[in-house]
Amino acid sequence: MSTISHDDIAEVRSRANILEVVSEHVTMKRSGTSYMGRCPFHEEKSASFSVVPDKGFFHCFGCHAKGDVYAFLMKIKNMDFPTAVRELAHKYGVQLVETAEQREEYDKRTHMLMLYQQASQYYIRLMQDPAQGAVARDYLEKRGIPEEIIERFKIGYAGPTWDGLLNYLTSTTKVAPATLEEAGLVRRKHETNSFYDLFRNRLMIPICDDRGQVIAFGGRTLGNDDAKYVNSPESAIYIKNRQLYAFNLAKESIKAKDAVIVVEGYFDAITPHQFGFTNTVATCGTALSEAQARSLVRYTESKRVYLAFDADAAGASAVERGAHMLQQVADGVGIELRVLRIPGAKDPDECLRSEGGPEAFAAAIENAPLLIEYQLDQALDECDIGSHVGKIDAARKIIPILSQIKNSVERGEYIRQLSMKVGVREEELLSDVSQYRKDNRIGVNAPGGAPTRQRASQRGPVKVGHVEAEQQLLALYFTSREDYDRTAAALEHEYFLTPVHQYIKECIEGIGTDFNTVEDLQFKLMDRLAPQFEASAAFVEVIERVDEMRKMKMPIDVLLFQCKKRLLTEKVNRILANLKALLNAADNETDLLALQSRISKLNMLNRTTTSLETLEELDEFKRNIESAMAA
Ligand SMILES: [Zn+2]
C-alpha cells in the first residue's frame, strides 16, 4: 500500500497532463473536447481510445480499459502505484514528501538496479572478449544459439577468477564490497572482511523485470562444477516466485498472439524465441506461484495458457501443480488451460532443435488438449479398462478429475463420453461424481459479493439496471456544488450492491465537505482511488455520467427518487430470491409457514411501489420492508 500523501498525489496530478503522458505512447487527434487515438492496450485499426484532458481520464471503447493518468502509466509500463507517482513526480519536477525510510528504500533499490545493470554489462563485455569469452561462445555455438539471440537475451560470461566482478564494480562505482554482498553479487569469506564473486566460470543469463531491467542472474556452469546452475539470491529487487523468465521479451507477443506458452528452464524459453515462438516464458524450476499466474493472464484476452513442461513424470506432476494454481487464479475468469504434448523429445529445447522440430512444436500447439482432457487421458492410460478390475480402477481415478469441472453442462457431457469409453453406466458415474462433489464441498457457493464484483469488473456496455442506477446516483454528487448536500443527505443510509460503488461512496463521504467546486471534489476522489486500479476505472464510468445527468435538467429530488427506486427494486428482488431459496430448503412446518408469510407480505408491499411518488415515501416504504423482514 502506498504511503505517498494525498497532497503529493494531487500535486503531481495537477502538473502531469494526461494528454501529454498518453501522447508519448499513442498518436492522439483532437475531436471536440476529447482526443482520439488507437488503443495501446488492444489491437485495433480504427481509433476507439479517448482521452478527456479536462476531466483527467482515458477510456477505450474497444477493450474498456479506463482510468486516470496513474492508471495509464501503471498499465502501459506495468508499474505499481508508488512507482508511477515517483516517475511522474520526477518528470514534472515535484519533490515528494516521503519518510526518510521510504526514500532510503527507494534509493537502495535504484542503486541495486544500477549495480546489476553494470554487472550485466561487465559479463557481456567478457563474453565478447576474443580470448576470455571463447569458452562461453563455443558453448553457445554448440547449443546452436546465434549471435542475435545472445544479444536479445543479453547473455554474458563470468570468468574463472575469484574477484573479476568485485574488482570491476568497486573500482568503477566506488561501491563498498558489503553493499555488493547485500545485493547478492559477491560473498563474504567466513567471518572475515574479504569477499569473492558468486559467479565464476559460468554462462550468465540475466533475469529481467517486466520493464527489462536486470534484477538477478542465472549462471550455468561451463566446467565440471557440481552445481549446474547457480542463481542470485532474493533481494530487495528480486523475489523469485514473482518473476517469469523472458516475460519482458514475450509480453508484446503474448498480446499479439493472445496466448502464452509456459516452460520450465532458461533454454526451454530461449530456444522457442529463436524459432519464432516469442510468446514463451519460463518459471525457472519452481511450480507456478499465484503472482506468476496473474502476470501470465494479464496480457491475454482469451486467457489461453499452454503448459509445456518436461514429458517425464516430474514434468507431468509439474503440469498438475501449475494447473492447480492457474485454475485457482482463473476461477471465474475463464482461463483456457492447454497442455503441450511434445513429441518424442524431453523438453522444448530438444524438440525444436531436432529434424522437423519447429513444425512438430507448432503442431503440438495446434493440437494441445485442454488440461482436463490431458488429465483424463493420463488417468485412463494407467488402467486396463478391458478388465473388470481395470474399469473400477479407472472410474476411481477419473471421478476426482470430473468433479473439478465447474460448468454442469460441460461436466455432464464429459461424464457421458467417459462412461462410454470406460464402459460404466452413465447414471452411476454421474451419481459418483455428485457424491464426490458433495463430500468435498466442491461448487458450494460462498455467500457475499464475490460474483457481483467479478461481473462488475468484466462489465461491457450492457448495464444491469441497478448498476446503472448506482453509477447515476454517484454521478449526482458531482453535478453541482448546490446539489451536493441534498445528494449526500439522500444517500447517507443507502448502501450499494456493487462493492466497488459502495467503496467509491465511502471515499466520497470520507472527503466530507472540504472542497470548493465539484471538479475539486472529483480530483480529490481520483487521488484517493488511484492506487486501486478497479476503483479508478469504475469511477471513470461515473464521471462520464455527470454530463448525462446534468443534461436531463430535472430537479435533483426527481433524479434521486428515480435512481433510488431502481436500486430498491433490485434489493427487494434479491430478498425475495433468498427467501424462496430458503423456502425450497426448509424441512419443517414452522419454517415453511414463517417463510411463506414473509414472502406474501413482501409481495404485497412490492405491489404498492407504483404508487410511490416522493423521496420521503420511498424511504418510508424502505422502512416498512425492513420491519416486515425483522418481524
Ligand atoms: Zn483498447
Side-chain angles (χ1 to χ4, degrees):
M1 193 60 221
S2 141
T3 44
I4 303 171
S5 73
H6 293 317
D7 285 348
D8 275 347
I9 295 168
E11 175 68 16
V12 173
R13 183 195 302 285
S14 72
R15 293 214 215 165
N17 178 335
I18 187 169
L19 183 62
E20 201 174 291
V21 174
V22 169
S23 297
E24 284 176 19
H25 304 272
V26 186
T27 314
M28 302 298 290
K29 275 198 191 128
R30 195 184 180 110
S31 159
T33 53
S34 62
Y35 289 76
M36 301 295 293
R38 272 163 56 183
C39 180
F41 304 121
H42 82 280
E43 296 262 339
E44 64 173 2
K45 292 203 176 66
S46 59
S48 49
F49 181 83
S50 81
V51 170
V52 188
D54 295 347
K55 308 233 164 177
F57 69 80
F58 71 92
H59 186 172
C60 171
F61 299 101
C63 67
H64 307 292
K66 49 193 169 285
D68 63 358
V69 65
Y70 297 121
F72 180 81
L73 214 57
M74 282 154 79
K75 205 163 156 66
I76 199 127
K77 293 202 172 176
N78 202 4
M79 300 172 154
D80 59 13
F81 179 70
T83 313
V85 180
R86 284 193 195 99
E87 177 147 322
L88 284 177
H90 181 72
K91 187 172 149 84
Y92 289 94
V94 179
Q95 187 70 46
L96 295 178
V97 185
E98 296 182 85
T99 65
E101 268 168 24
Q102 287 163 345
R103 193 70 225 167
E104 209 173 284
E105 182 61 33
Y106 181 63
D107 288 346
K108 195 166 120 187
R109 283 174 51 96
T110 313
H111 188 233
M112 219 179 251
L113 284 170
M114 186 275 287
L115 291 174
Y116 269 86
Q117 160 80 0
Q118 298 260 335
S120 172
Q121 280 166 357
Y122 168 81
Y123 292 138
I124 290 171
R125 266 203 302 279
L126 218 58
M127 163 86 92
Q128 286 162 347
D129 184 283
Q132 295 188 77
V135 55
R137 286 197 312 276
D138 285 352
Y139 173 83
L140 288 170
E141 207 185 310
K142 273 196 206 105
R143 283 199 80 143
I145 295 172
E147 195 61 41
E148 186 244 327
I149 290 293
I150 298 173
E151 269 173 40
R152 200 191 303 171
F153 284 85
K154 298 180 183 160
I155 301 171
Y157 168 60
T161 56
W162 288 83
D163 53 8
L165 183 72
L166 178 69
N167 287 340
Y168 174 77
L169 286 180
T170 46
S171 65
T172 54
T173 69
K174 308 281 174 247
V175 64
T179 308
L180 291 176
E181 185 198 8
E182 197 185 346
L185 288 165
V186 305
R187 276 185 182 156
R188 186 192 292 259
K189 265 187 218 153
H190 188 61
E191 286 177 359
T192 66
N193 237 344
S194 59
F195 298 84
Y196 61 94
D197 285 4
L198 174 62
F199 299 102
R200 294 175 312 279
N201 194 27
R202 283 176 187 273
L203 194 74
M204 297 303 291
I205 303 164
I207 298 166
C208 299
D209 65 10
D210 299 356
R211 300 154 71 192
Q213 307 183 101
V214 180
I215 53 172
F217 291 102
R220 192 203 187 280
T221 184
L222 292 169
N224 298 321
D225 202 308
D226 283 342
K228 194 166 150 197
Y229 280 96
V230 165
N231 292 304
S232 297
E234 296 203 330
S235 68
I237 55 172
Y238 175 53
I239 297 166
K240 196 173 176 202
N241 69 10
R242 284 209 195 140
Q243 293 303 319
L244 286 162
Y245 177 65
F247 190 70
N248 59 311
L249 298 172
K251 61 184 182 186
E252 289 309 316
S253 171
I254 293 172
K255 221 187 286 177
K257 297 185 180 178
D258 199 14
V260 53
I261 302 169
V262 185
V263 297
E264 263 176 322
Y266 300 113
F267 285 100
D268 291 329
I270 293 172
T271 307
H273 275 256
Q274 182 183 335
F275 287 93
F277 302 96
T278 45
N279 53 334
T280 306
V281 300
T283 58
C284 296
T286 52
L288 269 178
S289 73
E290 185 174 338
Q292 287 172 328
R294 284 190 192 285
S295 307
L296 276 181
V297 293
R298 206 167 46 203
Y299 282 85
T300 57
E301 198 78 25
S302 68
K303 317 239 181 288
R304 191 177 310 132
V305 177
Y306 295 99
L307 300 172
F309 293 153
D310 286 5
D312 59 25
S317 80
V319 165
E320 307 212 336
R321 274 181 295 153
H324 183 64
M325 178 50 70
L326 277 171
Q327 212 113 53
Q328 272 186 340
V329 174
D331 246 12
V333 183
I335 204 168
E336 185 186 314
L337 275 179
R338 290 182 178 269
V339 180
L340 279 195
R341 273 199 268 235
I342 297 165
K346 202 171 165 291
D347 56 40
D349 181 48
E350 237 177 273
C351 165
L352 283 163
R353 294 190 187 285
S354 62
E355 176 89 28
E359 292 76 18
F361 196 74
I365 294 175
E366 185 77 14
N367 303 317
L370 286 168
L371 175 72
I372 186 85
E373 285 163 5
Y374 170 86
Q375 288 173 313
L376 289 170
D377 283 355
Q378 291 280 104
L380 292 187
D381 277 353
E382 294 161 9
C383 310
D384 166 29
I385 52 173
S387 74
H388 181 67
V389 178
K391 277 193 214 307
I392 296 170
D393 196 28
R396 189 179 52 80
K397 280 187 175 146
I398 60 177
I399 287 165
I401 303 170
L402 291 168
S403 299
Q404 299 301 327
I405 305 173
K406 284 220 162 55
N407 183 309
S408 59
V409 178
E410 208 178 305
R411 194 167 59 239
E413 181 54 26
Y414 274 108
I415 289 173
R416 195 182 62 78
Q417 285 174 18
L418 265 294
S419 64
M420 286 195 294
K421 209 171 194 171
V422 180
V424 294
R425 281 176 48 219
E426 186 180 339
E427 306 79 76
E428 220 166 276
L429 193 55
L430 188 68
S431 115
D432 286 347
V433 169
S434 301
Q435 193 57 46
Y436 186 93
R437 284 171 63 85
K438 216 176 270 170
D439 293 345
N440 293 280
R441 301 187 59 77
I442 302 170
V444 178
N445 281 331
T452 327
R453 193 187 199 91
Q454 211 150 55
R455 248 174 269 135
S457 64
Q458 292 183 325
R459 208 161 44 217
V462 182
K463 296 277 184 303
V464 184
H466 77 274
V467 173
E468 190 178 66
E470 287 175 355
Q471 287 174 344
Q472 291 175 334
L473 282 171
L474 287 172
L476 290 177
Y477 280 107
F478 302 92
T479 48
S480 76
R481 182 67 186 87
E482 294 75 53
D483 287 344
Y484 172 88
D485 296 330
R486 184 71 184 135
T487 305
L491 295 182
E492 196 187 342
H493 301 294
E494 194 72 62
Y495 74 89
F496 290 158
L497 294 167
T498 313
V500 69
H501 290 157
Q502 178 63 22
Y503 176 72
I504 292 174
K505 175 180 174 266
E506 282 163 18
C507 287
I508 296 174
E509 289 167 345
I511 294 171
T513 50
D514 179 25
F515 61 91
N516 300 318
T517 62
V518 281
E519 282 74 28
D520 188 17
L521 175 64
Q522 182 208 308
F523 286 116
K524 272 201 158 85
L525 184 62
M526 276 171 119
D527 294 338
R528 290 186 183 226
L529 300 177
Q532 281 103 344
F533 216 84
E534 194 200 353
S536 185
F539 185 49
V540 169
E541 296 195 48
V542 172
I543 306 169
E544 285 173 332
R545 290 194 182 273
V546 174
D547 278 344
E548 172 190 313
M549 300 311 279
R550 282 181 185 142
K551 276 185 198 140
M552 288 185 189
K553 294 211 187 320
M554 280 195 257
I556 184 74
D557 275 14
V558 175
L559 293 171
L560 281 166
F561 173 79
Q562 285 173 355
C563 297
K564 277 183 69 154
K565 194 174 159 188
R566 276 169 81 187
L567 188 51
L568 184 63
T569 309
E570 173 65 20
K571 285 180 184 171
V572 172
N573 286 340
R574 286 192 183 195
I575 296 172
L576 271 172
N578 271 338
L579 289 175
K580 281 175 189 160
L582 286 173
L583 189 69
N584 286 335
D587 54 4
N588 65 70
E589 193 79 359
T590 330
D591 286 358
L592 213 67
L593 286 173
L595 285 165
Q596 270 166 349
S597 133
R598 279 189 188 197
I599 290 172
S600 63
K601 239 188 232 168
L602 201 56
N603 276 329
M604 224 159 64
L605 273 171
N606 217 5
R607 277 195 286 276
T608 65
T609 50
T610 41
S611 65
L612 300 175
E613 274 169 8
T614 65
L615 266 178
E616 287 69 29
E617 285 169 10
L618 191 70
D619 284 339
E620 199 194 322
F621 174 76
K622 212 168 123 185
R623 279 192 298 275
N624 286 340
I625 291 209
E626 277 157 8
S627 59
M629 287 306 98

